Amino acid sequence: MSWDKIWAINKKVIDPIAPRFTGLDKASMVPVSVAGVEDCKKLCPKHPKNTDVGEKEVYYGTKVYIEGEDANELGPGQMVTMINWGNMTVDHIARGPDNKVTEVKLKAQLDNTDFKKTLKLTWLADVPSVNIPAVAVHYDNIVSKAVLGKEEDFKSFIGHQTVFETPLLGDPNLASLKKGEIIQLQRRGYYICDSPYQASSDYSGVPRPCILINIPDGRAVTTAPKSAVPAAVTPTAAPAASMTGGNGDEILAQIAEQGTKVRNLKSQKAGKDDIKAAVDKLLALKKQYKDLTGVDAPAGGKPAPKPAAAAPPTSAAAMAGGNGDEILAQIAEQGTKVRNLKSQKAGKDEIKAAVDKLLALKKQYKDLTGVDAPAGGKPAAAPAGSAEGDAILSQIAEQGTKVRNLKSQKAGKDDIKAAVDKLLALKKQYKDLTGKDAPAGGKPAPAKAATPAPASAPAPTPAAATGREDELLGLIYTQGNIVRDLKAKKAGKEDVTAAVKVLLAHKAEYKALTGKDAPAGGKAPTQQPTMTDPAAALEAQIKEQGDKVRAAKAAKAPKDDITALVGELLKLKTDYKTLTGKDVPGAQPAKQQKQKSKPVPAPAPEAGVTRLGLEAKKSENLSDWYTQVITKSEMIEYYPVSGCYILRPWSFAIWESIQSWFDAEIKKLGVDNCYFPMFVSNSALEKEKTHIADFAPEVAWVTRSGQSELAEPIAIRPTSETVMYPSYADWIRSHRDLPLKLNQWCNVVRWEFKHPQPFLRTREFLWQEGHTAFATRQEAEDEVFTILDLYHGVYKELLAIPTVKGRKTEKEKFAGGDFTTTVEGYISATGRGIQGATSHHLGQNFSKMFDITIEDPNSTTGDKLFVHQNSWGLSTRSIGVMVMVHGDDKGLVLPPRVAKIQVVIVPCGMTDANKTEVQAHCEALEKSLCKAGLRASADMRMNVTVGWKFNAWEQKGVPVRVEIGPRDMKNQQVVAVRRDNGAKVTLKNENLETNLQDLLNTIHDDMYNRALVERDNAMVVVKEWKDFCSNLDQKKILLAPFCGDIPCEEAIKKDSARTGVEGEDEKAPAMGAKSLCIPFEQPGDATCEKCINQNCSKKGKAYTLFGRSY
């Protein structure tokens, strides 16, 4: 980004909270007498839009001061607005011999509250006892040129004067500023207090001014003062040079000559002392000119051309006579040569020579005429309303109709392209003739005549005028709705301002055509004209803009040009949808820019309907659906610290099931559990910079103990290598101490800066992390794959989720490790992959960092060997994966093996007569099932209906609901309802425990197989780049041959990212594809295929799984 855009961030942060104060330039203050007011003081808000900032005292009086620059803008009878006071009229202006304003008299008009078109003035009352001295300090750029050419020496552009101080008369409120406080001086900018005001300096005894340093906010800052005599006040004033007679012109000539010498010295790379001497002489001449005239010397030392008494010529070329026209013709010809050379991709030197010649011609024209050469080297020629221009517009309208007809008839692509090319050629011809773009539809906008047409001139036909009048009224109506809608939505100020400008332009055109103001709302006050349908007008503009986009793409125009055209097209489509409430006919919805705003709440339910069920559908709004599922099923409760969540018993039970199964399996491998502290010293982190760099932005630090700062900040573990391995170095001395296999179940903190999402991306989460050490590499590698199989088992055997086992690419592997293995899941609702768990082989990298060594058992000299290490981890992210894979529009669907309750028993059909008997039967069944090892619960609540219970347990995802009523008891049976598919099955009481266990196993297998089919249908093999992106956009994960190079992988991710083009589905993910893993099960031999990267010529090393991911 350019610096001005970076500085603009300051304004966004500061503007809403900075108090507003006043400071006037002491050197240019003008006294103002105000009639009709009294001396007083009042409390006013420090910030007009944020009352929380507080209030300030404002002093009012009959004598105030304003700045000279403002005073020179005033005219007799003018209405002005004194900020924080009100409107006043200019009663009298006194000027000195130099034509500068010396005194102003105002008359208060405080009852007038129309502030829209008034000049706003900052002021201070003349109250010496309260106003304070202040100094505004501005720092300019050290290097004066924004972009340096390859051949330019930066030393030639170093500014010798980059600090500017302006003594101010300060607002009394500035006296209370403290060092470091940020304020806004009204109509000056933002400042930070560098040195507070002191009524009496400790050193000199005189008041010490408040020193304020300007904060850049992206606006261009001009340190030089404005012209003292603006054209608005003295329209006939001559240029400064002519006011002083020949002396001014002579000095300007010397300035021009000296400026040329300076430029020549710099281009010849003369000595620094020679250049400085020449620059000093140039600055002395400019100062001499300013002392003489009171204004700065014009750029280049050339005065602006003097205005003629007669009507001005139509162009600068005409002012210059025939020579100007000849130079313009040469500029046009040379410009064509430059464009041709660029399109033919000529040599760099040849293009540079042609550009240098073009710039020389433009400079020659400016030296002759005093103005820049017009674009293209063509002076403004035929007016838009000329006969020749009208003829071209007619052809444009006719050709535009042909293009639209061809498209509606779905003609061949070549026919449409030929017609579009002809249309664009006609539009270019019109622009070359008139100097402006052809109007939409080929219809000219009415000319704005300064005087009435002569009597002999033919009057416009009433039908034509009325048609355009009606069309403008329709556009005003449409644009007015857009402005009101933006304001209602509290859109950004820039968006509202842009929309208002368009509205005012339509109104101005209407007034030029009809001689009267447009009626309010775009509707005529008396009779309703036959108005062009606003929606149809917008639709026509959208079609025309679409033509431009397609033509630009067909012509392979630069990407920036296409992006600008597409942006305008999307804006038109948004306007159409705002007006009509629907998308443009025949077009896909335009992709709207995502805004970081809270989701719109669902509409209030009808009477008698609760909001306890899900209100979002998984296929329509996955984010809202996910949030509602995990909260309404009582898995998660939000917590005041962003990114942290409470795991309620319903979800923690799932984690306990995973923990129980996995802990039992790793203990079979000889792994012991332990616990290490969560705090890490800064020195320990420094030992493994390569590893911790991967986590550096996410590390949370403890810096204080109570009110005391810690001597050294302490990190909270993002992972535990640095916590555990110093102890490993102490514990491991001999090969007899190996293998050392430890695991801990703990929490870690990674202060994610991305949008947090419960389970999937949180700032604190639970996990297990295993850290093992071996004497040989082979032992360590064997364990890596054994643990990976266990992770695969967690997902398959417990969560009913299929995963792909594989190895991470070099780009995606764990920082500091030799290689990383992973199990990757797939979320069909988004078409994204998700990392399930990882098992890393660290090699000897960490043992060398932490000096974890053993004595070589085969050495007789006591040689040391570094141990081989692994680390592996699985987190509560697995619960989020389970929710997204299996959940449906009714809520959770829990795999039976991790469900807190596997079977819920609901008594049905109870009456007062049989209630006790049915309840007793349900309670007995609950005990029987629990005794058989099933997790069962009987819902005996009497304050809710049976239907309510059904819905509640479905939302919580209980695998099986058992319904028991009097008839079931009589028939010695139960009705079992599956949560995964809603199927009902009747089971006899005999062997009921066994049959329910079998049913739960069947449910698990069916859930796994459904997810497997979804995953396999979404996983495709691609060998061509064109197939890669198209399949990716269809929510596929892709097996593609890949060379393994990191730059290649980065290019694949960049080239497969979406940039938001016409017709794109707004819900489709826009991120590029990243490598998920290199699957152990390969679909074929990738070494026979070219790497999938379109710009890579290498052969693939293996088929790699690519996809968008979490």
Side-chain angles (χ1 to χ4, degrees):
M1 289 189 351
S2 57
W3 279 108
D4 59 339
K5 292 180 181 176
I6 296 175
W7 293 135
I9 297 172
N10 284 338
K11 180 178 179 181
K12 291 181 181 179
V13 175
I14 295 170
D15 190 74
I17 58 174
R20 269 67 161 164
F21 299 123
T22 304
L24 301 181
D25 185 349
K26 277 187 176 181
S28 67
M29 290 194 311
V30 174
V32 178
S33 299
V34 184
V37 298
E38 296 180 354
D39 294 348
C40 64
K41 65 178 180 179
K42 297 179 183 178
L43 288 176
C44 294
K46 289 183 179 179
H47 193 298
K49 298 179 181 179
N50 185 356
T51 56
D52 293 339
V53 176
E55 294 183 321
K56 62 182 179 181
E57 284 188 338
V58 178
Y59 288 79
Y60 302 87
T62 56
K63 185 179 179 183
V64 300
Y65 292 104
I66 63 173
E67 289 196 345
E69 291 182 3
D70 288 337
N72 288 319
E73 297 287 337
L74 302 180
Q78 182 179 357
M79 181 72 71
V80 299
T81 299
M82 306 288 275
I83 295 174
N84 282 334
W85 200 346
N87 282 350
M88 302 185 184
T89 53
V90 180
D91 197 35
H92 174 73
I93 299 176
R95 296 182 183 273
D98 57 357
N99 206 31
K100 292 184 179 179
V101 176
T102 57
E103 184 184 5
V104 177
K105 293 183 179 180
L106 300 178
K107 186 179 294 184
Q109 303 283 347
L110 301 181
D111 293 336
N112 184 338
T113 57
D114 183 7
F115 307 123
K116 289 185 178 178
K117 298 181 181 179
T118 58
L119 177 66
K120 310 300 186 292
L121 301 179
T122 46
W123 58 275
L124 281 176
D126 183 14
V127 188
S129 61
V130 296
N131 293 331
I132 70 163
V135 178
V137 183
H138 289 250
Y139 291 96
D140 202 356
N141 296 320
I142 293 177
V143 178
S144 59
K145 189 171 182 180
V147 180
L148 296 177
K150 291 183 179 179
E151 306 300 325
E152 292 176 328
D153 184 357
F154 80 92
K155 288 179 283 189
S156 302
F157 299 95
I158 292 178
H160 296 280
Q161 177 62 43
T162 58
V163 182
F164 300 89
E165 295 185 354
T166 305
L168 303 175
L169 179 66
D171 187 326
N173 298 281
L174 296 179
S176 60
L177 283 187
K178 297 180 177 61
K179 182 178 177 64
E181 289 188 341
I182 293 175
I183 65 165
Q184 178 181 355
L185 289 181
Q186 295 192 38
R187 301 177 64 227
R188 282 188 176 277
Y190 305 102
Y191 293 82
I192 185 168
C193 179
D194 186 55
S195 176
Y197 168 74
Q198 269 191 339
S200 177
S201 170
D202 297 336
Y203 307 104
S204 64
V206 299
R208 187 177 73 179
C210 175
I211 308 298
L212 302 170
I213 297 178
N214 178 254
I215 299 173
D217 59 6
R219 296 180 296 178
V221 178
T222 304
T223 53
K226 297 178 182 177
S227 173
V229 188
V233 179
T234 55
T236 58
S242 64
M243 289 169 62
T244 61
N247 288 343
D249 292 336
E250 290 172 8
I251 295 173
L252 284 177
Q254 294 175 44
I255 288 172
E257 182 180 357
Q258 189 65 21
T260 303
K261 287 183 180 179
V262 170
R263 286 187 289 276
N264 290 339
L265 287 170
K266 289 181 177 180
S267 63
Q268 295 163 10
K269 298 185 178 178
K272 188 175 180 180
D273 293 339
D274 295 339
I275 294 175
K276 186 177 184 304
V279 169
D280 290 342
K281 185 176 179 181
L282 176 61
L283 295 174
L285 287 168
K286 288 186 175 182
K287 184 177 185 302
Q288 184 182 348
Y289 180 85
K290 187 171 183 178
D291 293 342
L292 179 66
T293 65
V295 296
D296 291 324
K302 304 185 183 78
K306 301 176 183 179
T314 57
S315 69
M319 292 168 62
N323 289 343
D325 291 335
E326 292 172 9
I327 296 173
L328 283 177
Q330 294 175 45
I331 289 172
E333 182 181 355
Q334 189 65 21
T336 303
K337 286 183 181 178
V338 170
R339 286 186 289 275
N340 291 338
L341 287 171
K342 289 182 177 179
S343 63
Q344 295 162 8
K345 297 184 178 178
K348 188 175 180 181
D349 294 338
E350 189 176 355
I351 293 175
K352 185 177 183 302
V355 169
D356 289 343
K357 185 175 179 180
L358 176 62
L359 295 175
L361 287 168
K362 289 185 175 182
K363 183 178 183 302
Q364 184 181 348
Y365 180 86
K366 187 170 183 178
D367 291 343
L368 178 66
T369 65
V371 296
D372 291 326
K378 300 174 184 133
S386 66
E388 188 177 354
D390 291 343
I392 297 174
L393 284 177
S394 298
Q395 296 176 50
I396 289 171
E398 182 181 352
Q399 188 65 22
T401 303
K402 287 182 180 178
V403 170
R404 286 188 287 275
N405 290 339
L406 287 170
K407 290 180 177 178
S408 63
Q409 296 162 8
K410 297 186 178 177
K413 189 174 180 180
D414 293 338
D415 295 339
I416 294 175
K417 185 179 183 301
V420 169
D421 289 343
K422 185 176 179 181
L423 177 62
L424 294 176
L426 286 168
K427 289 185 177 182
K428 183 178 183 301
Q429 183 181 348
Y430 180 85
K431 187 170 184 177
D432 292 343
L433 176 68
T434 66
K436 57 184 180 180
D437 292 326
K443 298 170 185 172
K448 297 181 182 179
T451 58
S456 58
T461 54
T466 302
R468 181 58 182 165
E469 181 180 342
D470 292 345
E471 184 178 351
L472 283 171
L473 284 173
L475 292 173
I476 290 168
Y477 173 77
T478 302
Q479 192 64 23
N481 284 339
I482 293 170
V483 170
R484 284 186 287 275
D485 187 59
L486 287 171
K487 289 181 177 179
K489 293 178 178 177
K490 297 184 179 179
K493 186 176 180 182
E494 294 178 357
D495 296 337
V496 175
T497 302
V500 170
K501 285 182 180 178
V502 175
L503 176 61
L504 294 177
H506 291 329
K507 289 185 176 181
E509 186 179 346
Y510 180 89
K511 187 170 184 178
L513 176 67
T514 64
K516 58 186 178 182
D517 290 327
K523 297 173 183 175
T526 53
Q527 68 179 48
Q528 181 71 22
T530 307
M531 187 183 296
T532 303
D533 181 9
L538 269 175
E539 195 173 335
Q541 293 179 51
I542 289 168
K543 287 182 179 178
E544 182 180 353
Q545 189 67 20
D547 292 342
K548 289 182 180 179
V549 171
R550 285 183 285 275
K553 290 180 179 179
K556 296 184 178 178
K559 186 176 180 180
D560 291 343
D561 295 347
I562 295 175
T563 301
L565 290 171
V566 169
E568 181 63 26
L569 176 62
L570 294 177
K571 182 179 180 299
L572 288 170
K573 289 185 175 183
T574 301
D575 294 347
Y576 184 91
K577 189 165 186 178
T578 302
L579 174 65
T580 65
K582 56 186 179 181
D583 294 317
V584 181
Q588 295 182 3
K591 180 178 181 181
Q592 297 182 0
Q593 187 172 350
K594 295 180 181 177
Q595 296 182 351
K596 293 184 179 179
S597 60
K598 294 182 179 178
V600 178
E606 299 176 3
V609 179
T610 73
R611 300 186 75 162
L612 298 179
L614 300 190
E615 298 174 89
K617 294 188 180 297
K618 186 177 182 180
S619 59
E620 295 174 359
N621 191 337
L622 183 68
S623 178
D624 283 358
W625 171 88
Y626 181 76
T627 300
Q628 291 182 28
V629 166
I630 60 177
T631 53
K632 293 189 177 185
S633 65
E634 300 180 345
M635 296 186 77
I636 282 287
E637 185 66 45
Y638 283 84
Y639 191 68
V641 178
S642 175
C644 298
Y645 307 92
I646 300 169
L647 299 189
R648 300 184 69 177
W650 201 248
S651 60
F652 197 81
I654 299 172
W655 183 239
E656 286 180 316
S657 295
I658 294 172
Q659 184 177 7
S660 175
W661 185 90
F662 187 78
D663 198 63
E665 294 298 320
I666 60 175
K667 283 179 177 174
K668 295 176 185 176
L669 302 176
V671 178
D672 292 320
N673 284 325
C674 63
Y675 184 80
F676 281 76
M678 68 188 305
F679 298 114
V680 194
S681 68
N682 187 43
S683 57
L685 288 181
E686 284 293 317
K687 282 191 176 181
E688 46 163 338
K689 288 182 180 178
T690 303
H691 161 57
I692 208 63
D694 199 43
F695 293 107
E698 303 170 4
V699 174
W701 295 87
V702 179
T703 59
R704 282 170 52 180
S705 170
Q707 298 301 318
S708 304
E709 297 289 333
L710 296 180
E712 180 185 59
I714 297 173
I716 301 176
R717 61 179 168 222
T719 180
S720 295
E721 281 79 2
T722 51
V723 180
M724 301 173 76
Y725 293 168
S727 298
Y728 278 38
D730 293 336
W731 297 342
I732 298 173
R733 288 285 181 264
S734 162
H735 68 280
R736 297 181 185 85
D737 299 324
L738 296 176
L740 178 60
K741 301 180 180 182
L742 297 181
N743 173 72
Q744 65 172 349
W745 297 88
C746 62
N747 63 338
V748 291
V749 174
R750 295 180 186 173
W751 210 257
E752 294 268 8
F753 286 92
K754 298 177 183 176
H755 176 63
Q757 199 168 5
F759 296 121
L760 301 179
R761 184 186 292 117
T762 61
R763 287 177 171 167
E764 181 191 12
F765 56 87
L766 302 178
W767 77 343
Q768 62 72 215
E769 52 177 326
H771 295 271
T772 55
F774 298 88
T776 66
R777 180 182 178 91
Q778 187 60 52
E779 289 178 282
E781 286 190 359
D782 289 345
E783 189 207 49
V784 167
F785 297 108
T786 300
I787 295 296
L788 192 70
D789 288 337
L790 293 181
Y791 288 150
H792 179 72
V794 168
Y795 280 93
K796 181 178 181 179
E797 303 300 331
L798 299 184
L799 302 177
I801 296 173
T803 58
V804 177
K805 292 190 292 184
R807 177 172 175 157
K808 287 287 188 181
T809 62
E810 285 300 301
K811 181 178 184 299
E812 295 295 327
K813 75 176 184 180
F814 178 69
D818 273 10
F819 68 84
T820 292
T821 62
T822 178
V823 289
E824 298 286 329
Y826 171 73
I827 310 297
S828 61
T830 57
R832 297 190 192 184
I834 186 164
Q835 181 177 288
T838 49
S839 180
H840 315 286
H841 176 55
L842 306 179
Q844 296 176 316
N845 298 324
F846 284 87
S847 62
K848 290 176 180 178
M849 288 181 203
F850 292 92
D851 194 28
I852 308 173
T853 59
I854 59 173
E855 290 186 6
D856 185 352
N858 300 319
S859 171
T860 57
T861 58
D863 293 340
K864 299 288 185 180
L865 296 176
F866 290 103
V867 302
H868 300 264
Q869 292 177 267
N870 296 332
S871 69
W872 25 274
L874 168 74
S875 76
T876 44
R877 166 181 272 213
S878 55
I879 301 175
V881 178
M882 178 207 72
V883 173
M884 299 191 82
V885 169
H886 296 307
D888 60 21
D889 290 342
K890 292 181 180 180
L892 278 179
V893 180
L894 291 177
R897 295 170 189 170
V898 294
K900 184 175 187 291
I901 298 175
Q902 296 173 309
V903 179
V904 62
I905 304 163
V906 180
C908 307
M910 289 190 298
T911 65
D912 291 340
N914 61 26
K915 179 172 68 173
T916 304
E917 185 181 1
V918 173
Q919 288 180 335
H921 184 78
C922 291
E923 290 172 351
L925 179 59
E926 176 188 8
K927 293 178 181 177
S928 173
L929 296 179
C930 291
K931 187 176 180 180
L934 296 174
R935 295 188 290 276
S937 176
D939 188 348
M940 311 304 292
R941 291 177 293 173
M942 300 302 295
N943 60 327
V944 293
T945 65
V946 172
W948 180 287
K949 294 178 183 180
F950 287 177
N951 289 327
W953 292 112
E954 282 183 348
Q955 189 168 270
K956 292 174 76 70
V958 174
V960 174
R961 181 178 74 243
V962 169
E963 302 171 5
I964 299 177
R967 182 180 300 175
D968 299 311
M969 291 171 58
K970 182 179 179 181
N971 295 330
Q972 297 187 359
Q973 64 183 26
V974 299
V975 176
V977 184
R978 292 174 53 164
R979 173 63 184 89
D980 63 318
N981 61 13
K984 291 187 176 183
V985 58
T986 301
L987 301 175
K988 292 294 183 181
N989 289 348
E990 187 179 359
N991 297 324
L992 180 59
E993 295 83 355
T994 303
N995 290 333
L996 281 174
Q997 184 62 68
D998 292 343
L999 180 60
L1000 291 171
N1001 289 334
T1002 300
I1003 290 172
H1004 177 94
D1005 294 342
D1006 289 350
M1007 290 175 66
Y1008 177 82
N1009 290 330
R1010 274 195 299 273
L1012 181 63
V1013 169
E1014 279 188 341
R1015 196 278 311 275
D1016 289 348
N1017 288 340
M1019 188 160 55
V1020 296
V1021 176
V1022 295
K1023 300 179 182 179
E1024 300 289 339
W1025 181 253
K1026 59 182 179 64
D1027 300 326
F1028 189 96
C1029 290
S1030 61
N1031 278 284
L1032 189 67
D1033 292 341
Q1034 295 172 29
K1035 298 184 179 180
K1036 306 285 189 183
I1037 49 176
L1038 316 170
L1039 285 165
F1042 176 51
C1043 67
D1045 291 351
I1046 292 177
C1048 244
E1049 187 167 345
E1050 291 171 345
I1052 291 170
K1053 184 175 182 179
K1054 179 182 177 182
D1055 294 345
S1056 60
R1058 299 245 223 148
T1059 55
V1061 296
E1062 179 190 4
E1064 183 179 35
D1065 176 7
E1066 64 177 356
K1067 292 183 180 177
M1071 66 176 68
K1074 62 180 284 188
S1075 68
L1076 304 177
C1077 69
I1078 303 168
F1080 295 147
E1081 294 184 10
Q1082 290 281 300
D1085 184 4
T1087 59
C1088 302
E1089 306 291 343
K1090 176 188 158 308
C1091 175
I1092 192 64
N1093 179 13
Q1094 56 186 339
N1095 298 317
C1096 178
S1097 58
K1098 296 179 181 178
K1099 292 291 185 181
K1101 291 182 178 177
Y1103 278 95
T1104 301
L1105 187 63
F1106 287 91
R1108 296 188 170 110
S1109 74
Y1110 285 90

